[in-house]
Amino acid sequence: GAGVSQSPSNKVTEKGKDVELRCDPISGHTALYWYRQSLGQGLEFLIYFQGNSAPDKSGLPSDRFSAERTGGSVSTLTIQRTQQEDSAVYLCASSVGTGHTEAFFGQGTRLTVV
Amino acid sequence: GNSVTQMEGPVTLSEEAFLTINCTYTATGYPSLFWYVQYPGEGLQLLLKATKADDKGSNKGFEATYRKETTSFHLEKGSVQVSDSAVYFCALSDPRSYKLSFGAGTTVTVRA
């Protein structure tokens, strides 16, 4: 597609429910990133994919968080047994490579846990 | 590890005023430096970048120069407009690390 697409744009869920957030990167971009943007916390790195592999999952806050990427394209971030502190905007980005290359961001998914 | 420190906001300016947002970094390698901007209700987008020392990035009247000696990448604009109201993030990318490390963001409001 023309840009990084994320869905849903907004999600309200009850505490304890599982949620799936989807990211469709720019075609041909091998690198994909998930970030979280919380009020007062800035942008927090969650996980990085190169192709379908995730060499760095160090930013995932707990084992309730997981992510996968299939076909070197679409990625899904899953949060199990959501908690109120999971409320944030989840941003996905992709780039043609790493290092000096620019990352393109999606519009984000605003997750609210009630 | 890599880190970015940028001046805290919020910053409120009048139209046509001069804007500076300070950004300093810590990195073990030779990073690329970026400024991203987030307009109200929109996603993050790249404003400008510089990939090596003394490079100047520029876009939409904004400029920033990669200063290795002071490990800085300050953002400047000579005459701001209301449409420049946004959150600005300084970031770095270390070619050995692949992660983008972001500053905390600076909210800028320009009043007519």
Side-chain angles (χ1 to χ4, degrees):
Chain A
V4 178
S5 177
Q6 292 187 245
S7 61
S9 54
N10 279 284
K11 176 73 176 178
V12 179
T13 189
E14 292 181 353
K15 178 181 170 182
K17 301 281 191 184
D18 298 352
V19 294
E20 284 190 354
L21 312 180
R22 176 188 167 102
C23 172
D24 199 345
I26 293 171
S27 178
H29 281 194
T30 58
L32 185 148
Y33 312 80
W34 284 97
Y35 285 82
R36 180 166 72 174
Q37 187 175 23
S38 308
L39 267 177
Q41 296 295 318
L43 281 151
E44 176 187 11
F45 168 82
L46 297 179
I47 187 169
Y48 156 70
F49 286 93
Q50 180 60 44
N52 292 335
S53 302
D56 189 349
K57 307 178 184 180
S58 63
L60 296 177
S62 73
D63 58 8
R64 297 186 295 104
F65 287 72
S66 63
E68 64 175 11
R69 188 179 185 194
T70 55
S73 181
V74 172
S75 176
T76 303
L77 177 69
T78 302
I79 309 172
Q80 296 178 310
R81 305 182 302 281
T82 51
Q83 304 295 313
Q84 288 186 331
E85 61 263 28
D86 300 335
S87 297
V89 177
Y90 289 82
L91 293 170
C92 177
S94 70
S95 66
V96 294
T98 57
H100 294 294
T101 58
E102 172 189 353
F104 293 82
F105 282 80
Q107 299 278 67
T109 295
R110 181 175 297 278
L111 175 66
T112 304
V113 182
V114 298
Chain B
N2 297 334
S3 67
V4 176
T5 302
Q6 65 182 97
M7 66 182 278
E8 294 183 14
V11 175
T12 302
L13 301 164
S14 298
E15 250 187 336
E16 300 182 4
F18 184 86
L19 171 67
T20 298
I21 304 176
N22 289 340
C23 171
T24 57
Y25 67 90
T26 302
T28 52
Y30 297 93
S32 289
L33 302 173
F34 306 86
W35 277 99
Y36 280 83
V37 59
Q38 189 172 33
Y39 297 105
E42 298 186 15
L44 273 172
Q45 52 188 277
L46 182 70
L47 179 60
L48 54 83
K49 70 177 183 181
T51 58
K52 61 183 187 297
D54 300 324
D55 268 3
K56 177 186 283 188
S58 61
N59 186 24
K60 298 183 179 180
F62 289 88
E63 292 183 341
T65 301
Y66 189 141
R67 300 286 188 201
K68 195 171 190 306
E69 63 276 13
T70 55
T71 62
S72 65
F73 193 55
H74 305 322
L75 182 69
E76 297 182 336
K77 184 171 185 180
S79 177
V80 294
Q81 304 301 312
V82 172
S83 57
D84 293 324
S85 298
V87 183
Y88 294 82
F89 293 90
C90 186
L92 73 81
S93 175
D94 184 333
R96 298 180 301 176
S97 171
Y98 56 75
K99 284 185 219 180
L100 272 174
S101 299
F102 285 89
T106 302
T107 300
V108 174
T109 302
V110 181
R111 294 187 171 159

